[in-house]
């Protein structure tokens, strides 16, 4: 078994436990969303003639993840010291050495260097890291470093979390990471305390309702998840109020794709998490304690917890599935609202001959399938919050029609984008992701920002669509 296979196997089932353990024992945690250069230093170039890996040439000369000045000098890392050099006149190099531990690499302990080359302005990098934990990561993955003290010296336990993993979602959840988050230093104890305060405020209300025999009514009034369409409206309303807008007409917004991303991935996600926290908390109380107040002994509660373990597992699994399904519906609802506000004609969830249901057809299936002049201007617009391999399902919806796939997913590799191009699939993404250093969208002819899609694809056809 190769080293890479071993790492992949170990990561597949244990990263959540490793992350939880790390956060439980460290005073400060640095979280960094890795840029392309932060990953590519660990990757080797492919020989264009032979197609084989050239182990003498890396993808870039960076040699390790970049650390910005603010985080470098925050006190999280040891202070840099001037490196002694034999040659006079050479630009100064500042450095610090410390040990990092990598549980995903069988707990290997590495002597790591934080180095600042003054000849390269403020450029500072971490070097001496296990290459295999970075080389296969998808775009927008994370590096997590937790600081602990050993023999009066700082040691750093480190993880890499793939952007397509459940652990990346957990990390974002724990630290309330915005979609645009790049790097930050957090104190887990402080975060835990703030979260506990927020939970206890609601817990007092739940306790009062249970003691008063009103827990069922309380659940209906205070802890019921709105249907996805209602939640989407609440999120959109919050966005409009935040920016003083009347609607989300894509032709009036400078960055309509970023607006969709903020509404669905930030505002609605925060609303959803709060509703789900309340809903699941009350459900758990009712499951263990029942609806009627009574004197309860600790032994009875423990026994009930054990007896109801399968039901508790089912409740937690349901919560996880609810999160996944919500994300897709959220993006569809916001796109539907944006098309409506832009007076763009469309049909939704029309059944094709192949029994497929594309999310949107612009302007209509009848228009696209007619043999009239200009019918080729019609298109299918499919929405996927996350892609992975799901874009291949979308390809089957084409049936000779133009297909555009819109997503807010950051973790699509360049190879997958090229595969989509070979099938005639065009990607439509938020404007901020178009040339982001954390994504691999740049340089592909089949990738458009949402604004480019509206201006270059939709607008020239609007008069024809409307008249039809």
């Amino acid at each position: 078994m190769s080293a890479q296979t071993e790492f992949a196997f170990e990561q597949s089932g244990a990263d959540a436990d490793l992350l939880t353990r790390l956060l439980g024992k460290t005073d400060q945690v640095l979280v960094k969303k890795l840029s392309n250069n932060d990953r590519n230093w660990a990757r080797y170039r492919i020989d264009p003639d032979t197609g084989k890996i050239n182990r003498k040439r890396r993808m870039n000369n960076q040699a390790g993840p970049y650390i910005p000045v603010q985080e470098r000098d925050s006190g999280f890392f040891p202070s840099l010291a001037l490196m002694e050099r034999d040659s006079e006149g050479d630009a100064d190099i500042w450095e610090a050495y410390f040990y990092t531990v990598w549980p995903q690499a069988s707990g290997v302990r590495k002597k790591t260097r934080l180095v600042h080359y003054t000849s390269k302005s403020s450029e500072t990098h971490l070097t001496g890291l296990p290459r295999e934990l970075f080389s296969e990561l998808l775009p927008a993955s994370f590096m997590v470093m937790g600081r602990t003290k050993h023999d009066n010296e700082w040691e750093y336990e480190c993880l890499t979390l793939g952007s397509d993993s459940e652990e990346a979602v957990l990390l974002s959840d724990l630290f309330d990471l915005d979609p645009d988050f790049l790097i930050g230093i957090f104190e887990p104890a402080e975060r835990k305390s703030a979260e506990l305060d927020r939970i206890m405020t609601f817990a007092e209300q739940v306790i009062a309702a249970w003691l008063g025999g009103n827990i069922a009514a309380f659940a209906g009034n205070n802890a019921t998840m709105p249907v996805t369409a209602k939640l989407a409206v609440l999120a959109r309303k919050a966005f409009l109020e935040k920016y003083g807008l009347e609607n989300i007409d894509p032709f009036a917004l400078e960055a309509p794709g970023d607006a969709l991303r903020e509404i669905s991935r930030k505002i609605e996600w925060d609303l959803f998490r709060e509703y789900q926290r309340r809903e699941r908390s009350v459900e758990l109380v009712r499951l263990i304690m029942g609806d009627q107040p009574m004197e309860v002994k600790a032994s009875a509660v423990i026994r009930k917890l054990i007896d109801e373990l399968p039901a508790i597992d089912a409740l937690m699994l349901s919560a996880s599935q609810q999160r996944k399904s919500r994300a897709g519906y959220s993006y569809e609802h916001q796109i539907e609202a944006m098309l409506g506000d832009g007076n763009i004609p469309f049909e939704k969830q029309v059944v094709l001959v192949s029994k497929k249901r594309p999310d949107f057809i612009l302007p209509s299936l009848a228009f696209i399938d007619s043999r009239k002049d200009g019918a080729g201007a019609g298109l299918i617009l499919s929405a996927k919050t996350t892609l992975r391999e799901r874009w291949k399902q979308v390809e089957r919806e084409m049936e000779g029609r133009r297909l555009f796939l819109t997503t807010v997913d950051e973790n699509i590799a360049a190879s997958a984008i090229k595969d989509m191009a070979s099938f005639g699939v065009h990607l439509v993404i938020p404007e901020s992701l178009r040339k982001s250093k954390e994504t691999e969208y740049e340089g592909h002819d089949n990738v458009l920002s949402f604004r480019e899609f509206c201006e270059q694809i939709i607008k020239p056809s609007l008069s024809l669509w409307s008249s039809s």
Side-chain angles (χ1 to χ4, degrees):
M1 182 182 291
S2 67
Q4 184 57 45
T5 303
E6 291 173 351
F7 289 127
F9 176 80
E10 185 169 342
Q11 288 181 4
S12 65
D15 282 359
D17 290 339
L18 293 176
L19 178 61
T20 301
R21 188 185 69 182
L22 184 154
L23 298 179
K25 67 180 183 180
T26 184
D27 75 320
Q28 288 188 337
V29 174
L30 180 142
V31 179
K32 187 177 197 298
K33 183 184 287 185
L34 298 172
S35 70
N36 294 330
N37 282 342
D38 290 336
R39 298 177 297 111
N40 286 343
W41 69 270
R43 300 166 65 187
Y44 294 107
R45 292 187 183 275
I46 303 295
D47 190 307
D49 297 323
T50 65
K52 296 181 179 180
I53 295 175
N54 186 341
R55 296 194 177 276
K56 294 181 179 180
R57 297 190 64 194
R58 293 199 304 266
M59 292 288 287
N60 64 36
N61 296 318
Q62 185 167 300
Y66 171 73
I67 302 297
V69 173
Q70 182 174 344
E71 284 70 29
R72 181 194 74 192
D73 297 338
S74 66
F76 179 80
F77 293 105
S79 299
L80 299 179
L82 182 64
M83 175 183 171
E84 294 184 7
R85 308 190 70 184
D86 295 332
S87 303
E88 294 184 7
D90 289 343
D92 288 343
I93 297 176
W94 292 79
E95 62 183 2
Y97 284 93
F98 49 89
Y99 285 99
T100 56
V101 178
W102 302 83
Q104 293 161 317
S106 301
V108 65
R109 191 167 184 257
K110 304 278 288 187
K111 188 174 184 180
T112 298
R113 183 190 189 203
L114 182 66
V115 56
H116 166 43
Y117 298 98
T118 59
S119 61
K120 299 180 180 180
S121 185
S122 61
E123 191 168 317
T124 307
H125 296 102
L126 281 173
T127 63
L129 311 180
R131 182 191 308 275
E132 60 272 16
L133 293 184
F134 291 83
S135 61
E136 300 300 322
L137 291 174
L138 288 172
S141 292
F142 291 96
M143 177 180 69
V144 182
M145 302 183 70
R147 188 178 73 169
T148 55
K149 205 156 217 179
H150 291 272
D151 299 326
N152 291 322
E153 290 190 1
W154 291 116
E155 185 174 89
Y156 300 79
E157 186 166 313
C158 309
L159 303 172
T160 58
L161 303 177
S163 52
D164 62 336
S165 68
E166 295 292 337
E167 289 78 17
V169 176
L170 173 62
L171 181 72
S172 298
D173 222 2
L174 290 171
F175 294 116
D176 292 329
L177 304 184
D178 289 339
D180 294 325
F181 169 84
L182 294 178
I183 189 169
I185 296 174
F186 305 95
E187 295 184 5
E190 182 182 280
R191 288 280 171 159
K192 184 177 180 180
S193 177
E195 178 69 9
L196 184 60
D197 288 343
R198 183 165 57 177
I199 291 173
M200 291 308 296
T201 300
F202 181 65
E204 292 299 327
Q205 300 174 28
V206 176
I207 292 170
W210 185 78
L211 291 174
N214 303 316
I215 189 69
F218 178 86
N221 295 328
N222 300 277
T224 300
M225 177 72 71
V227 297
T228 55
K230 175 64 175 177
L231 198 62
V233 170
L234 293 174
R236 196 159 56 251
K237 181 180 179 182
F239 176 84
L240 295 176
E241 290 177 352
K242 178 179 178 180
Y243 294 102
L245 300 172
E246 294 184 359
N247 57 42
I248 52 172
D249 177 356
F251 301 111
L253 295 173
E254 183 176 346
D258 284 345
L260 290 171
R261 184 170 180 244
E262 181 175 352
I263 297 170
S264 64
R265 292 294 295 272
K266 172 56 181 171
I267 299 176
E268 187 172 338
W269 175 241
D270 287 345
L271 287 172
F272 172 83
R273 284 196 303 165
E274 183 60 30
Y275 275 114
Q276 190 182 63
R277 181 186 293 110
R278 288 169 170 257
E279 182 180 57
R280 300 302 177 178
S281 297
V282 173
E283 287 179 351
L284 186 59
V285 169
R286 297 178 71 185
L287 179 65
I288 302 303
M289 307 293 290
D291 286 357
Q292 298 302 317
M294 57 182 175
E295 286 192 17
V296 181
K297 295 182 179 180
S299 58
V301 173
I302 293 172
R303 186 176 292 109
K304 188 69 171 177
L305 283 169
I306 295 173
D307 290 345
E308 296 293 347
L309 190 57
I312 295 172
D313 282 343
L315 183 64
M316 297 301 104
L317 177 60
S318 173
S320 176
Q321 293 171 337
Q322 187 183 34
R323 290 185 173 208
K324 294 176 182 178
S325 63
R326 180 220 63 92
Y329 286 123
S330 165
Y331 196 42
E332 287 179 30
H333 287 314
Q334 304 307 342
I335 291 173
E336 182 177 4
M338 181 169 280
L339 294 176
D341 287 349
N343 294 315
I344 301 168
F346 68 91
E347 289 183 333
K348 185 180 179 183
Q349 297 287 331
V350 178
V351 180
L352 304 179
V353 174
S354 62
K355 306 302 182 183
K356 298 297 179 182
R357 287 178 179 266
D359 298 313
F360 305 97
I361 297 181
L362 284 57
S364 68
L365 181 61
F367 178 89
I368 291 182
D369 288 351
S370 72
R371 297 188 178 182
K372 297 178 181 179
D373 291 340
L379 59 92
I380 292 174
L381 178 62
S382 187
K384 301 289 184 187
T385 306
T386 57
L387 288 185
R388 300 188 183 178
E389 295 297 310
R390 296 167 66 208
W391 70 267
K392 295 178 180 178
Q393 303 169 8
V394 175
E395 183 267 332
R396 293 194 290 271
E397 298 173 0
M398 296 177 69
E399 298 180 353
R401 308 175 182 96
R402 286 201 302 170
L403 188 143
F404 291 81
L405 173 56
T406 180
T407 185
V408 291
D409 203 341
E410 294 178 274
N411 62 27
I412 309 305
S415 57
I417 298 172
K418 291 179 181 178
D419 287 343
M420 293 181 214
S422 68
F423 285 99
V425 175
H426 301 268
L427 274 172
V428 181
I429 61 173
E431 291 72 22
S432 60
L433 299 187
R434 187 76 165 84
K435 295 184 179 181
S436 168
K437 294 180 181 179
E438 285 70 42
T439 69
E440 296 185 356
Y441 287 119
E442 189 174 12
H444 297 276
D445 293 336
N446 63 320
V447 175
L448 297 169
S449 71
F450 210 94
R451 181 174 181 80
E452 290 170 333
F453 173 66
C454 291
E455 294 292 334
Q456 299 173 18
I457 306 300
I458 293 180
K459 184 177 280 189
S461 302
L462 270 181
S463 59
L464 177 64
W465 291 353
S466 299
S467 63
S468 69

